[in-house]
Amino acid sequence: MDSKKEQLLALIRDNPFIGQQDLAERLGLSRSAVAGHIASLTRERRLLGRAYVLPQRAPIVCIGGSNLDRKLRTLAPLQMGTSNPVSQRETPGGVARNVAENLARLGLPVHLLSAVGDDPAGRELLAHAARLGIATSGSLQAADAATGSYTAVLDADGAMLLALAQMALTERLTPDFLRLTSAQRASASLTVIDLNLPADSVAQLISEAAADTRPLVVVAVSVPKMARLPQDLSGVHCLLLNEGELAALCGGKPLSNPSALRRAHRQLRERGLQQLVVTQGAAGVLYSDGDALLALPAPSVPVLDVTGAGDAFSAGVCASLYQDPLDLALACRRGLALSALTLQTEATVHPDLGPELLQSIH
């Protein structure tokens, strides 16, 4: 990496109003060389616009589901067709909302655009976001529908046995909703969407991103909802999914070996996708490096509860891409570290995250 360019970026961080001539004198460069470095940093989204607005000053906009998570942990082996004793815990949930909370706890500016009911659960979700510093202006609060819910049945070891999602409200995040929230979305340095969104909204956001320079990250939520992605993925900077979701996206056949995974990756590259991350549970992740798929192992940690670990991984990746959209390997390392922490708590989002976590992972 060019050391002069990094020095220039550091000077701008210290004084965003610094002029090009001052930069040139401090760095021992010509003014044209400084202009070249600034143009390069702007293309990389490490600077935004003529006023040297740093990406750290613009929010990550998360669009998608918010709901109440109910976690039921069995106290004995599950028996179908009869009553089972369980313990219960309720926490805020929803993929986009979970990603937003992780990002906020990491110290990043976040704006969440979602839909909740005008009921106790919905009001608490909005209040919880406000306490974390997450902006929610523009989010839909429906008077005629209940806030969504996600119920996970876990075994005694914290592994998921069954999950039930009631996410009908996210169907109201239509292109008309996107039009009404265009002002909130215009300020985004990075946009993150989940596939709870209707297919026409997903297509619109991808089309907008293809015509823009701001990165768009798409987070899968389930195999059935992979059908919400359009054929043209040229506006997607990074797609995060698991092997089952990748198989559904690429024809439906199981991806039973590395060559099948590579073929699926090539297929998505041909559809315009820039970066791909495939999660493999305890085995780690695969991530794209040009035409290649590289592997990273997951840290081995004791598992208390799997709920939220995937969203934590997505948040770690997004937080890192917000700082450097080109370093996907670092983003995956940070995502794995955040996921490992979340696996060790019963909370959907680890309550003790802080800005220092990202900087500690290189």
Side-chain angles (χ1 to χ4, degrees), residues 233-249:
L233 300 176
S234 56
V236 181
H237 181 80
C238 187
L239 173 62
L240 307 175
L241 39 55
N242 62 32
E243 283 192 25
E245 292 157 348
L246 178 61
L249 186 58

Side-chain angles (χ1 to χ4, degrees), residues 21-317:
Q21 186 58 45
D22 195 1
L23 287 168
E25 292 173 359
R26 293 194 184 198
L27 295 171
L29 296 173
S30 66
R31 186 163 179 171
S32 61
V34 167
H37 284 314
I38 289 173
S40 175
L41 288 164
T42 303
R43 286 193 301 271
E44 295 168 12
R45 300 300 294 168
R46 301 173 73 191
L47 289 177
L48 305 178
R50 295 180 182 176
Y52 305 151
V53 179
L54 295 167
Q56 290 84 346
R57 300 180 186 274
I60 301 174
V61 174
C62 299
I63 312 174
S66 293
N67 53 257
L68 182 67
D69 275 0
R70 295 184 178 91
K71 303 179 190 180
L72 307 177
R73 185 190 292 263
T74 60
L75 302 179
L78 181 68
Q79 298 183 54
M80 302 301 293
T82 189
S83 177
N84 291 266
V86 299
S87 62
Q88 177 173 314
R89 180 183 178 92
E90 292 188 352
T91 62
V95 172
R97 196 222 65 86
N98 289 347
V99 170
E101 180 176 344
N102 276 283
L103 292 169
R105 290 187 181 277
L106 290 170
L108 299 176
V110 186
H111 198 125
L112 174 64
L113 294 173
S114 190
V116 298
D118 187 8
D119 53 20
R123 289 190 287 273
E124 173 54 27
L125 286 174
L126 294 178
H128 184 264
R131 290 194 294 271
L132 292 167
I134 299 171
T136 58
S137 61
S139 286
L140 175 66
Q141 192 168 12
D144 61 341
T147 296
S149 66
Y150 172 86
T151 302
V153 181
L154 311 174
D155 66 18
D157 295 323
M160 183 186 297
L161 298 172
L162 176 69
L164 303 169
Q166 190 283 102
M167 300 293 295
L169 261 183
T170 56
E171 297 299 326
R172 301 192 186 187
L173 302 180
T174 62
D176 281 342
F177 170 82
L178 296 178
R179 177 179 56 79
L180 292 172
T181 56
S182 59
Q184 289 87 352
R185 297 189 297 109
S187 64
S189 174
L190 173 73
T191 300
V192 185
I193 68 172
D194 71 34
L195 291 183
N196 286 309
L197 294 173
D200 50 358
S201 295
V202 173
Q204 178 176 321
L205 288 162
I206 292 175
S207 177
E208 288 178 1
D212 199 354
T213 57
R214 292 173 294 181
L216 172 69
V217 176
V218 177
V219 181
V221 299
S222 67
V223 167
K225 291 184 177 178
M226 296 312 298
R228 300 192 174 194
L229 278 173
Q231 179 66 25
D232 185 359
L233 300 176
S234 56
V236 181
H237 181 80
C238 187
L239 173 62
L240 307 175
L241 39 55
N242 62 32
E243 283 192 25
E245 292 157 348
L246 178 61
L249 186 58
C250 296
K253 294 182 180 179
L255 304 174
S256 54
N257 55 62
S259 61
L261 287 165
R262 289 193 294 270
R263 284 196 299 273
H265 178 221
R266 285 198 299 272
Q267 181 180 330
L268 296 182
R269 294 269 290 176
E270 290 168 359
R271 289 169 61 177
L273 180 66
Q274 298 174 50
Q275 296 180 341
L276 175 68
V277 178
V278 185
T279 59
Q280 299 181 301
V285 301
L286 301 173
Y287 68 94
S288 58
D289 183 11
D291 291 328
L293 268 182
L294 305 181
L296 274 176
S300 179
V301 297
V303 177
L304 187 60
D305 187 335
V306 299
T307 311
D311 298 337
F313 173 81
S314 298
V317 170

